[in-house]
Amino acid sequence: MEVCYQLPVLPLDRPVPKHVLSRRGAISFSSSSSLFGAPDPRQLSQRRGAISYDSSDQTALYIRMLGDVRVRSQVGFEPERRISHPYLSIDFRTLHTRPGYGSTSATSTPERRVHRLLSFQRYLHSSRLLRGVPQQIPLHMLDEDYTGQARCMLEKVGNWNFDIFLFDKLTNGNSLITLTVHLLNQYGLVELFQLDMVKLWRFLVMVQEDYHSDNPYHNAVHAADVTQAMYCYMREPMLAKSLTSCDLLLGILAAATHDLDHPGVNQPFLIKTDHHLATLYRNTSVLENHHWKSAVGLFRETGLFSHLPAEDSLNMERELGSLILATDISRQNDYLCRFRRHLDQENLCLSNASHRHFILQMALKCADICNPCRPWELSKQWSEKVTEEFFQQGDIEKKHSLEVSPLYDRAINTVGNIQIGFMTYVAEPLFAEWTRFSDTRLSQTMLGHMGLNKASWVGLQQEQTAVEPSPAPAEVAGAPTDSVTAGDTSSKEIPQGSKDS
């Protein structure tokens, strides 16, 4: 692949070379295979894609609804039981694709030899190319006006109102690659860690490919948005003066890979369909474990850190996993209580490596769910995208006669009531504690945006209620109407922060 070091945009308007398509990327495992070993090729042809889920130890009511913890965790596993499960006929490769693409049949399709284990996303892409299926989305060459505007946006990448949707268009859908390379160069990490630019580009191209572009929410644009938010947090005064170069590298890479190969369905869906990843990770942070192992697989395949001592490379992989595992929403209360205790006791010492790592975990958690804290124009788009992904899973559950997960039924839920509940029970408690830790203009800006966004959703809910014939109050699940009132948010202003925030 040709790399142009003068432009921040990696050209992806040509067919991906064979040596890229044949790479393994994000790793998919069966319960009978070793962590990084090569499974039996006969098993690979029957895989249904790499899919993970959320853990089941949730405590807060709304988090319970998001995770549907009524599915009981299993302690022991009997692989032979999965053969007769009624839902194993679901082909997960077709969840968000058009009929006829990526479908397999054990009875009609001859067994194929698979020499390299591909991720779900790259498997679909390569199989379509082999069958002569044209690209679904035409790729266009970008002129200098687009690349120039992208460079101008990167000069303001530390602003909280950074429009990642516009940036993704200006980079021809390569926002994650372009942004990550820019941040690594801005901190001087490429030179400091002596990263090979060819290996780095290859690694980031494979990372971006392994995000499912058909997911409404959990895609490469979300990863780029989280990476930009993580950069904003790492520039906060308390962190900027304390984080080491290794901390900065881990923070950027963890944000870029934190949802790698996400399938667009949640953990309970995989548990109740007995997916092999649920068995592999014993129903514990399966999505997050899979994202981590997928990133480690790309590290090792591209040899990005092969020049480092083996002990340093392994330690970096472990710390990356610790950061990604912290994004498990089911462990929200555990991290929040620990964060609150540290703040109450005023014993956080950022010269301590373990304390710095914990703050990086909290920063990544904030970056992962910061959508309610963005300006309304951006926040509303993210809210609609994540809700549509919920509803798509609900549609699949209905289609296969599964119990529909709470909040995932489009017939009884709306974007507004889901977002109001999420802000009330998940986002507000987390960002309130983050503001206690780092009471800056950026933190106040985030809280201000979240308050106005919540009021806007309440106002939209009230308008919808006025139009609909006599809905029951209980239908607005989790809406704390007594704590916030709707109003004209356009007349209210929030400081956007200086260029340093």
Side-chain angles (χ1 to χ4, degrees), residues 141-161:
M141 290 292 291
L142 296 182
D143 56 27
E144 281 296 325
D145 290 339
Y146 279 80
T147 56
Q149 292 179 61
R151 283 193 293 267
C152 289
M153 288 193 68
L154 285 175
E155 294 177 1
K156 301 180 180 180
V157 69
N159 288 3
W160 186 246
N161 57 356

Side-chain angles (χ1 to χ4, degrees), residues 221-242:
V221 183
H222 165 67
D225 183 63
V226 172
T227 304
Q228 189 270 337
M230 190 69 172
Y231 172 66
C232 291
Y233 298 151
M234 291 191 302
R235 295 176 73 230
E236 289 286 77
M238 293 189 65
L239 277 73
K241 65 183 181 182
S242 304

